Amino acid sequence: VSEARVSVVVAASRPLRLRWLLNALEEQTLPAADWELVVVHGFDRATVARYLGDHPLASGARMRLVGPPAGGGTPARQRNAGWRAARAPLVAFTDDDCRPEPDWLERLVARADALGDAVVQGATRPDPLERDIFAAPHVHTLEVDPPGRFAQTCNILYPRELLERLGGFDERAIVGEDIDLSLRAQEVGIPLQGEPAAVVNHAVEAHTLPEFIRRNLRWRHLAYVVARHPSLRSDCALGVFWKPSHLTVLLALAGVAGARRAPAVAPLLALPYLIPELMRRGGRPVDVAVAAAEVPGRAVNELAEVIAMAAGSARYRTLVL
Amino acid sequence: VSGRLRIALLDHDLDSGTTLARRLAEALAKAGADAELVRPGRLPDAPFRLRKIGDAPGRVPGTLLALARGAYDVAHAFTAQDAVAALAWARATRRPVVFSPPEPLTRANVADRRLRLALLRLALERSSAVVAADEPTAASLRRWMAVDPHVLAPDAGPEHLALYAELR
């Protein structure tokens, strides 16, 4: 293990999903001697014993567990603790809600070897085994066609030397620490390269509306990253709106608010939000009907996100909604 | 003890003649137990299926009603949705619930429907005991859910009776 070519680093907070990730890692085609696994977690002893203790990767020295870092277990701190404990020259990050394909690591490492000094991002897709979950109104998953601008840590590989040179993830960033690190790498001349054949399947998880809103409120801290990297505004609608739907939902809200004064204008303002929402499940009448029933809850979530990002903008003194 | 226990076996498949529940019912009958196959009626659940929600969620109210009417000492469920209904009954009656998954778990079937994982976790975490019918099912429970079940073949009537008595 001391001569591993790559260390897989996972910041873990969901023990069951982590076990499923371990099951997927166990099936990697990259020879076992070529990689190690570092799991950074904040689980209690009973949880570790139940979910990790008897796992085949726990026998021998292939998997090492790192306790919660000082100052709390934000993803940036966990990942920094993870790569600092890693022993290989390459560090591949993935998340505990992911299921890498068996040849994931092999392909990621092959691409890194071929490129030399580069950050390599693999492809992430919603887990095909959980496609039916999309029938729920409030769903979280991830799809990345690499190389993508946001360099998500669910499927990315950094040379360890580069991580040391950059000082790792910015621990002041509560979200978007992966975007920040990737942009800093590019600023020192290390490109982000894609390896579409290195595939990670991301969990598709349904949430209740309150859960979904609570989950998304953390994106208010994105303003910190945008303040540090104004170039990110090129990805924003009108240079301000992180998601186009944040702009269109505000227009729709303005239309509703002004419906009495200008009844002809209200529908025009609402349409840019409503049309994609109503068509998002397809064009059949039943699909449109289901999508229509989901509009109020989804609009509430969008507005909550906008309000949260406005609060973040005030805190970090830069406008991003 | 076996003569006094009234056991509800929540039959999970009305169409098949070889379910775990039926095999266990025969084994318990041979062992002299008072075991009853409970086949609750089901509400129409086509709208749930259309929205990819769970497996036969329309059975839950019927299961709950059947258990409430039956004055059982133990409920043995063979699907997660029956187990969740039985757990609601158990909360009110303080009786034990045993859960046996009907087939080995795989990554492909453990979270592929809405609410399937949530119901399965409830069934596994809250039931008084989890029983696997064979070693492959037990291994799949350990691998995918980190649960270490009892392993009892459905034909092992006396062993099931001993477990029920212990839980009572």
Side-chain angles (χ1 to χ4, degrees), chain A residues 19-20 26 50 130 135, chain B residues 51 107 125 142-144 146:
Chain A
R19 188 168 175 97
W20 297 0
E26 198 188 348
R50 175 177 168 186
E130 297 180 4
Chain B
R51 304 302 307 138
R107 181 62 189 82
E125 305 293 333
R142 290 185 203 106
R143 180 168 178 80
W144 296 109

Side-chain angles (χ1 to χ4, degrees), chain A residues 30-276:
Chain A
L30 190 71
D34 285 355
W35 62 278
E36 64 162 5
L37 172 64
V38 179
V39 176
V40 188
H41 68 93
F43 305 139
D44 59 33
R45 281 186 185 184
T47 303
V48 170
R50 175 177 168 186
Y51 290 94
L52 306 177
D54 70 339
H55 197 277
L57 286 180
S59 60
R62 293 220 13 232
M63 176 167 73
R64 284 182 295 131
L65 303 179
V66 177
T74 64
R77 286 191 183 126
Q78 283 190 304
R79 292 190 182 109
N80 278 341
W83 72 258
R84 285 179 178 129
R87 296 183 282 219
L90 298 173
V91 179
F93 292 96
T94 189
D95 290 338
D96 59 3
D97 54 359
C98 291
R99 180 175 65 87
E101 288 291 313
D103 59 353
W104 167 66
L105 209 44
E106 185 178 358
R107 289 181 180 275
L108 211 54
V109 170
R111 182 81 167 140
D113 287 346
L115 288 168
D117 214 11
V119 178
V120 182
Q121 184 182 29
T124 300
R125 64 183 183 186
D127 196 322
L129 299 177
E130 297 180 4
R131 283 251 176 232
D132 278 358
I133 311 297
F134 277 114
H138 309 293
V139 171
H140 171 71
T141 187
L142 202 57
E143 184 153 18
V144 179
D145 186 14
R149 282 274 283 162
F150 303 134
Q152 291 90 337
T153 40
C154 55
N155 186 358
I156 202 160
L157 179 146
Y158 281 81
R160 188 197 156 100
E161 178 277 327
L162 177 62
L163 290 168
E164 282 170 358
R165 198 169 6 137
L166 296 173
F169 296 93
D170 182 348
E171 296 186 359
R172 291 166 297 184
I174 296 169
V175 296
E177 73 285 350
D178 38 12
I179 306 173
D180 168 79
L181 182 66
S182 161
L183 291 174
R184 284 190 287 126
Q186 289 169 58
E187 283 164 12
V188 299
I190 307 297
L192 176 65
Q193 301 283 355
E195 175 47 80
V199 176
V200 154
N201 300 295
H202 194 286
V204 185
E205 292 181 302
H207 299 276
T208 63
L209 180 58
E211 282 170 359
F212 203 54
I213 290 175
R214 249 195 317 276
R215 187 177 203 290
N216 290 338
L217 288 183
R218 68 201 168 107
W219 286 103
R220 65 189 181 277
H221 298 292
L222 192 69
Y224 171 80
V225 179
V226 175
R228 287 199 54 166
H229 302 280
S231 67
L232 282 170
R233 290 194 180 280
S234 65
D235 293 299
C236 299
L238 304 179
V240 172
F241 295 93
W242 185 250
K243 288 160 67 175
S245 57
H246 288 178
L247 169 60
T248 55
V249 78
L250 284 181
L251 287 174
L253 186 66
V256 170
R260 276 193 182 173
R261 284 187 185 172
V265 177
L268 290 178
L269 289 174
L271 283 178
Y273 178 71
L274 286 180
I275 288 174

Side-chain angles (χ1 to χ4, degrees), chain A residues 134-137 276-283 287-288 290-291 294, chain B residues 51:
Chain A
F134 277 114
E277 279 293 312
L278 294 176
M279 301 305 292
R280 74 186 189 92
R281 292 197 178 277
D287 296 329
V288 175
V290 170
E294 293 168 351
Chain B
R51 304 302 307 138

